[in-house]
Amino acid sequence: AITLMMENGFSQLPVMSGDFSVKGVISWKTIGRGLSLGKSIGAVRDFMEPHHEIRSSLSIFEAISVIVVNDYVLVRGENNRITGIIT
């Protein structure tokens, strides 16, 4: 996860099993928090936190408050797949 984030300039990544199931999100914030609590670099699950998502039908103006609080929001499309992320 760290390599993907560094290579692509990502600040967070959803942890998923397929297009529909989000297990959580890993971010520089969760990695930093984990390391400061003494966790060693290992499995992604050790640095995940619950994810935040909205439906694609929601107005961007309604999504802004979620983005401001959480730094991102995952977008779930009409077909119930995660279709993107807004930061």
Side-chain angles (χ1 to χ4, degrees), residues 16 19 56 74-85:
M16 302 176 63
D19 293 339
S56 61
L74 299 178
V75 180
R76 190 171 292 275
E78 297 300 319
N79 60 3
N80 220 27
R81 287 184 173 169
I82 296 297
T83 58
I85 186 169

Side-chain angles (χ1 to χ4, degrees), residues 25-72:
V25 171
I26 186 169
S27 66
W28 291 122
K29 186 187 297 184
T30 63
I31 292 167
R33 184 182 313 126
L35 292 175
S36 71
L37 293 172
K39 290 184 181 179
S40 59
I41 297 293
V44 168
R45 71 177 165 271
D46 296 333
F47 294 90
M48 283 189 328
E49 67 181 4
H51 74 286
H52 304 279
E53 69 178 65
I54 60 169
R55 301 295 301 184
S56 61
S57 58
L58 193 69
S59 160
I60 187 68
F61 298 109
E62 295 173 280
I64 288 174
S65 61
V66 179
I67 298 165
V68 167
V69 170
N70 301 293
D71 301 324
Y72 77 95

